[in-house]
Amino acid sequence: MRVVRSVAQLRAALRESGPGGVGLVPTMGALHEGHLSLIRAARRDHATVVVSVFVNPTQFTEAADLASYPRDEARDVELAASAGAGLVFAPDAAEMYPEGFATSVSVRGAITETLEGAMRGSAHFDGVATVVAKLLIAAAPDSAYFGAKDAQQVVVVRRMVADLGIPTRIVVCPTSREENGLARSSRNTRLSPEARTRALAIPGALRAVQRAVRDGERSATELHRLATEVLAGAGLRAEYFAFVHPDTLLPIEHVLGPTLCAVAARVDEVRLIDNVLLDPAEAPAR
């Protein structure tokens, strides 16, 4: 395992790599099984796998959230190597945003102004798009791997890559979940045992919606009511529980085709997100 700190070192290391292509897994560190599943997917597809470890300050809208984000580079490097990565790119903020840095990549429209964009502000996705663009330009990978849990981020990255003509394939892997159904997240480590139990209502609400759609329910209003009841049973209230088109993120009133069902909720002070893709074609409508 080789760790490099600068874009120049990264490019030099990649020039030395052999045939078989390059897969990039962008992370902010605090690696868990979800990240490792992405690394393993990249390793199946490519001979060289690069994992970036960079806590990107420009995508945090809460200073406390940035300050409390877990950091353990030695552990991250060890885990990345165990999953098949051969190179870790771990720059500091000055490398990614040198003095005088004045450029931002902004993706406009509903895909950045709704859901997380509405809650965290458009600057959040400006930060995401800018850092991902810089990573793709720095590593020039054949493919980049993202988890489906961050569905809106995936939509934004795909739009950015298409608009800028960046020749990288965006690969989306299924949400990695704990045995109890909770979506894996670096934030889960901040949950107390009691809060972790209450957090199970989030995937529980999504499963309830899936069952209702499978049974023929199509009204987003009724599905929202059902999900709200499940969350309320655990003392949770969603910041949003939305039914949107999976590509445009525009709201959907009736689930008549593939629909992204996305939720954000706080469990005590920990903010969690999750989603499922609903497909009414899997079951006959009423």
Side-chain angles (χ1 to χ4, degrees):
M1 171 61 72
R2 183 175 177 184
V3 179
V4 296
R5 307 287 179 184
S6 70
V7 172
Q9 291 173 342
L10 173 63
R11 289 173 174 166
L14 289 175
R15 282 195 295 270
E16 298 171 3
S17 62
V22 175
L24 171 69
V25 181
T27 83
M28 292 202 297
L31 300 189
H32 51 68
E33 176 56 31
H35 298 108
L36 302 187
S37 68
L38 300 180
I39 296 170
R40 287 192 287 267
R43 189 68 182 84
R44 286 192 294 269
D45 295 341
H46 300 290
T48 301
V49 176
V50 180
V51 176
S52 64
V53 175
F54 177 62
V55 182
N56 180 33
T58 66
Q59 68 190 69
F60 285 84
T61 51
E62 299 180 17
D65 204 12
L66 173 61
S68 64
Y69 198 87
R71 296 167 172 83
D72 188 342
E73 184 182 297
R75 177 179 177 275
D76 290 338
V77 170
E78 181 179 351
L79 288 174
S82 72
L87 190 63
V88 167
F89 176 45
D92 60 16
E95 175 67 18
M96 296 301 286
Y97 303 110
E99 184 177 357
F101 189 87
T103 300
S104 177
V105 178
S106 295
V107 180
R108 301 303 185 193
I111 63 174
T112 56
E113 295 168 0
T114 59
L115 306 180
E116 291 298 287
M119 294 295 105
R120 305 175 71 170
S122 60
H124 167 70
F125 284 114
D126 289 352
V128 170
T130 300
V131 76
V132 172
K134 286 180 66 67
L135 290 171
L136 296 180
I137 292 168
D142 298 278
S143 307
Y145 294 75
F146 296 84
K149 181 179 76 72
D150 296 299
Q152 188 170 13
Q153 174 177 275
V154 168
V155 173
V156 171
V157 168
R158 280 178 163 165
R159 182 75 269 163
M160 182 266 294
V161 165
D163 289 351
L164 298 183
I166 297 175
T168 296
R169 180 175 66 114
I170 303 302
V171 180
V172 183
C173 298
T175 298
S176 178
R177 297 185 180 276
E178 299 177 6
E179 290 185 4
N180 57 19
L182 188 65
R184 286 191 169 92
S185 169
S186 302
R187 299 170 189 267
N188 292 357
T189 60
R190 295 162 52 191
L191 294 169
S192 68
E194 184 272 338
R196 179 177 287 271
T197 298
R198 293 169 57 219
L200 295 179
I202 296 173
L206 293 173
R207 287 195 300 269
V209 166
Q210 286 180 305
R211 286 193 298 269
V213 170
R214 192 179 305 122
D215 291 341
E217 183 59 64
R218 298 292 180 262
S219 168
T221 299
E222 178 59 23
L223 294 170
H224 186 278
R225 183 197 65 76
L226 173 62
T228 299
E229 286 184 356
V230 175
L231 293 173
L236 304 182
R237 183 170 62 87
E239 290 185 353
Y240 61 77
F241 201 104
F243 299 84
V244 298
H245 188 281
D247 296 323
T248 66
L249 302 189
L250 292 174
I252 286 176
E253 295 184 1
H254 294 90
V255 180
L256 302 177
T259 299
L260 179 68
C261 176
V263 57
R266 288 185 185 270
V267 186
D268 295 337
E269 298 302 314
V270 183
R271 187 174 186 275
L272 301 177
I273 64 171
D274 201 349
N275 69 81
V276 293
L277 185 65
L278 304 173
D279 187 355
E282 294 179 353
R286 285 175 180 167

